[in-house]
Amino acid sequence: MRKIISLFILYSTFAYANAQRLDRFRFEAPLSFALHGGPTQYFGDLYSFWNYREGLQPDYNVTLTAKWTTGTNIRLRANLSYYQISGDDNAADPRSGRMLRKLNFRAQNWEGSFQVEYYLLPVKLYHVNRSYFNPYFFVGAGLTTNDPHARYRGKWIPLRPLKTENKAYPATAAVFPMGLGIKYKTNVWVDVFIEGNYRFTLTDYLDDVSKYNISGFYEDLIADYGRWGEGPNPNRLRLAIRQERYLFENGEPNIELIRATNGAARRGSGDPSLTGSRGRYDGYFTLNVGVEIFVAENIWDDWIFRKKRGGYRLR
């Protein structure tokens, strides 16, 4: 009888200790942080992937994300991104006619957004029971800065202050992210993931190009240029028109020809119905790979320092 009682006590003690060790993982960890990055592809008047298959011309982005679990399959997220987008007529398909314009731009912007994620499998559960694979989609809204520059004579010139199309557009623009992703659980505290995210916007000026040509405002550009570039803001005309036909050999605008053609020099996509207030807006796409870390009271004790306390590892 004593042996049976002793074995029972020993078993109970072991079971209790093991349960205590496992119970440290039996909680929900609704808060997490993620760091991710990858290529960024711009879509607009200086890039025509869909019509002419001009190939990928990616830039880059880096993003920090905070997430919070609110429902069985729902998480909220806040993003802060730094990204670059660019376009260049020199890379255009000859059939597009864009090579003649010789326009280019580069923008290095910040984006902040709030999004809602919906997961295929439940996410509001004990942390240790997270699914190993979990696809999701998300939608949201936010703001991006808008600071396009053009490369001119070896320098990057800010375009927004120049009003190259005689229009003052704001330094920020609304964005509406939408995308798909899939996550993989590597251990109790860490997921890795890949996601694609397209941003719809409410601006056609991420690239500083919207109007089909300068016919409606070329006299304003000429007035700022002056006769030989001595006007108050000559770079407005210099960067509004880059077609060689309208330039002298030294690269300066041919004022007489611009006037003689009534400002026919091209800027926009080629179809007036697709530009300006009636047309399509610019956008950009990111394809990111990242790491997500879930936060709880004993994350440092159980994850970072677990080897010092016995070396167990629970996946």
Side-chain angles (χ1 to χ4, degrees), residues 20 35 50 57 59 80 89 103 197 208 217-218 281:
Q20 287 293 101
L35 180 65
W50 306 112
Q57 300 171 26
D59 290 283
L80 179 63
D89 280 346
L103 297 176
N197 186 351
D208 194 65
F217 51 91
Y218 65 92
Y281 294 126

Side-chain angles (χ1 to χ4, degrees), residues 18-287:
N18 192 56
Q20 287 293 101
R21 189 176 72 172
L22 294 179
D23 275 348
R24 69 180 69 249
F25 297 102
R26 292 181 62 81
F27 54 82
E28 297 173 0
L31 177 63
S32 65
F33 293 94
L35 180 65
H36 45 116
T40 303
Q41 179 63 64
Y42 142 85
F43 295 89
D45 288 278
L46 271 70
Y47 176 73
S48 185
F49 174 79
W50 306 112
N51 292 333
Y52 298 103
R53 304 296 189 270
E54 291 178 353
L56 297 178
Q57 300 171 26
D59 290 283
Y60 62 88
N61 82 95
V62 178
T63 302
L64 179 64
T65 299
K67 301 186 181 185
W68 184 265
T69 303
T70 60
T72 303
N73 297 77
I74 296 176
R75 305 192 78 201
L76 304 180
R77 62 189 271 183
N79 280 5
L80 179 63
S81 300
Y82 178 80
Y83 69 95
Q84 176 175 294
I85 54 176
S86 64
D88 195 327
D89 280 346
N90 288 332
D93 187 302
R95 295 173 297 170
S96 69
R98 286 177 36 229
M99 297 179 66
L100 300 176
R101 301 181 309 182
K102 300 293 184 181
L103 297 176
N104 67 81
F105 93 101
R106 183 186 73 181
Q108 296 172 324
N109 295 329
W110 289 91
E111 177 204 295
S113 65
F114 294 97
Q115 299 161 31
V116 179
E117 297 180 330
Y118 184 87
Y119 287 81
L120 182 64
L121 302 174
V123 291
K124 192 173 179 62
L125 36 69
Y126 284 135
H127 197 51
V128 70
N129 295 329
R130 288 198 332 274
S131 301
Y132 276 94
F133 286 96
N134 203 348
Y136 61 96
F137 70 89
F138 55 90
V139 294
L143 288 174
T144 178
T145 60
N146 188 21
D147 190 24
H149 287 58
R151 187 176 60 254
Y152 180 69
R153 296 182 176 177
K155 297 181 180 180
W156 288 99
I157 308 298
L159 292 169
R160 189 171 58 84
L162 294 179
K163 302 178 185 178
T164 56
E165 296 192 352
N166 219 36
K167 179 179 179 179
Y169 54 88
T172 60
V175 296
F176 300 93
M178 179 180 297
L180 301 169
I182 186 169
K183 300 173 68 173
Y184 173 71
K185 183 179 75 172
T186 61
N187 62 38
V188 173
W189 305 108
V190 179
D191 286 353
V192 295
F193 62 92
I194 181 170
E195 67 177 36
N197 186 351
Y198 186 84
R199 277 75 157 189
F200 297 90
T201 77
L202 294 182
T203 181
D204 196 23
Y205 281 102
L206 289 181
D207 47 22
D208 194 65
V209 178
S210 181
K211 304 290 188 182
Y212 176 57
N213 57 32
I214 64 169
S215 60
F217 51 91
Y218 65 92
E219 287 293 352
D220 293 309
L221 299 179
I222 291 173
D224 268 346
Y225 180 78
R227 180 65 180 174
W228 303 109
E230 78 285 359
N233 197 355
N235 280 344
R236 288 189 69 205
L237 183 60
R238 287 169 177 160
L239 290 172
I241 298 302
R242 300 302 305 144
Q243 288 179 253
E244 292 181 356
R245 175 190 174 190
Y246 296 94
L247 304 180
F248 291 116
E249 290 186 2
N250 63 359
E252 292 297 316
N254 185 333
I255 304 299
E256 298 304 324
L257 182 58
I258 292 173
R259 282 198 169 114
T261 57
N262 296 316
R266 275 192 56 192
R267 280 186 60 81
S269 62
D271 183 352
S273 67
L274 296 179
T275 61
S277 60
R278 294 174 293 169
R280 61 183 181 220
Y281 294 126
D282 298 331
Y284 53 100
F285 174 81
T286 58
L287 181 63

Side-chain angles (χ1 to χ4, degrees), residues 287-304:
L287 181 63
N288 282 9
V289 176
V291 175
E292 180 177 356
I293 298 177
F294 290 80
V295 178
E297 292 181 3
N298 56 355
I299 180 174
W300 307 113
D301 187 39
D302 288 330
W303 178 38
I304 302 298

